[in-house]
Amino acid sequence: WDNPSIEYVVVGGGGGGGGDCPPGAGGGGGGAGGYLTGSVTLGAHPNSTTITIGSGGIGGSGIAGPTYRSEPGGDTTAAFPPGSKVAAGGGAGGGGPANGGPPYQYYQAERGGSGGGGNGYTASNAHEGADGNYYPPASPLHPSAAPGQGNPGGDSPGGAPYSGAGGGVSGAAGESNTPAANSGSGGQGTQLPTTFRDPASSVGFPGPGSTGYYVAGGGGGGSTGTSGTGGAWDGSAFLPGGPYSGAGDGNNATTHHGRTNSGSGGGGGRSPVNRYGGSGGSGIVLIAYPT
C-alpha cells in the first residue's frame, strides 16, 4: 500500500500497586497506562515503524528498605513516520513504609497516564490519589503533560480503618473510598474500537456485562476488610463481577497483578500484615491496515 491510512491503539504500561503499610493500612491501586487511539497516514511504501512496549510497574513490597516503593509503568511508543505516539506509563499507587519506624513514613501515589490511588494513612498526604494525564517520574518525557490519556487515582479518607483507594484509568477516575473497611475499586477501563474487536483474536480482557476487548483498568485498593476490585468502577458506581480490563485486585493472591498486554494497574497491598502490591500489566500497540 502507498500512503495507507491506518488505525491504531497505543497503551502504556500499568502502574504497580502500593504495598501494605505497617502497622496496618491498605496500599493504593496502580493507575492504568495512558490510552491513545486514532488514525494516521504512514507515507509511501516501504517504511518502518519502531514499537516499544511499556513494562508494568513493580508493586510495593510493604517492607522498609531500598525497594519499598511501587513503580510507575513504562511508556509505550509507536514511532510512526509522521510522528511518534507515546502513551504514558500509569502512576504508582501510594503505600509504605518509607522507613523502619515507628513512627512510620509513607509514600504518595504518583501521577501518570492515569494516577495511582492513595493509601490508607493521612501522613504525608499519602492518602491522596495522584493526577492523570502526565508522564510518570520514570519517563524520559517527565514532567510533561499527556493530555487526554487518562484520569486521576482515587483518594482515601485516611485514618481508621485505613483502606486504600483505587487506581485511575482511561475510562474513569479511581474510586475514592468512604470511611469503611472496604477499599476503593479501580476505574473500569476502555473498550477497544470496533475495528479491533475480532472474535478470532485474544486481544483485550473481559469487561462489564459479559463484554470483552477492554484494556487500561485501574488497580483495586488494599484494605483491612474486603479489598477493592480491579477495573470495576465506572465513575459513578461499583460494577460487580470483576476484575475487569485485566486489572489487579487489592491484594488477592491470585488476581492482584495486572495482566500482560492490558496496560492495567496492579492491586494495592492488603492489611493487617505486610503484603506487597501487585505489579502492573505491560502495555500494547494495535495497528489495523486497510484491506
Side-chain angles (χ1 to χ4, degrees):
W1 290 87
D2 283 335
N3 300 309
S5 178
I6 65 164
E7 189 174 353
Y8 64 84
V9 172
V10 182
V11 183
D20 170 44
C21 312
Y35 177 93
L36 295 171
T37 187
S39 59
V40 65
T41 301
L42 286 183
H45 181 81
N47 55 53
S48 62
T49 298
T50 300
I51 303 293
T52 305
I53 302 297
S55 60
I58 297 173
S61 66
I63 301 171
T67 59
Y68 62 90
R69 292 188 69 96
S70 55
E71 296 181 353
D75 296 347
T76 293
T77 302
F80 298 124
S84 295
K85 306 297 180 183
V86 184
N99 67 331
Y104 296 102
Q105 296 177 357
Y106 310 98
Y107 62 88
Q108 293 179 262
E110 293 181 347
R111 61 188 187 180
S114 281
N119 76 25
Y121 273 111
T122 55
S124 304
N125 296 321
H127 65 294
E128 296 177 356
D131 291 336
N133 297 315
Y134 285 94
Y135 289 96
S139 168
L141 298 178
H142 178 77
S144 300
Q149 294 196 21
N151 281 283
D155 297 330
S156 166
Y162 309 112
S163 296
V169 69
S170 54
E175 181 180 7
S176 295
N177 52 302
T178 57
N182 296 350
S183 57
S185 292
Q188 172 182 334
T190 297
Q191 191 173 38
L192 295 170
T194 304
T195 302
F196 300 100
R197 299 179 204 169
D198 183 355
S201 78
S202 57
V203 172
F205 298 87
S210 300
T211 58
Y213 312 107
Y214 274 79
V215 293
S223 175
T224 55
T226 301
S227 292
T229 303
W233 177 254
D234 70 357
S236 60
F238 172 75
L239 305 171
Y244 297 125
S245 306
D249 284 337
N251 207 66
N252 180 315
T254 58
T255 60
H256 71 298
H257 295 305
R259 300 283 297 278
T260 301
N261 299 137
S262 67
S264 295
R270 184 174 185 270
S271 292
V273 296
N274 295 348
R275 296 185 181 175
Y276 58 94
S279 296
S282 55
I284 190 170
V285 172
L286 302 173
I287 298 174
Y289 288 86
T291 57

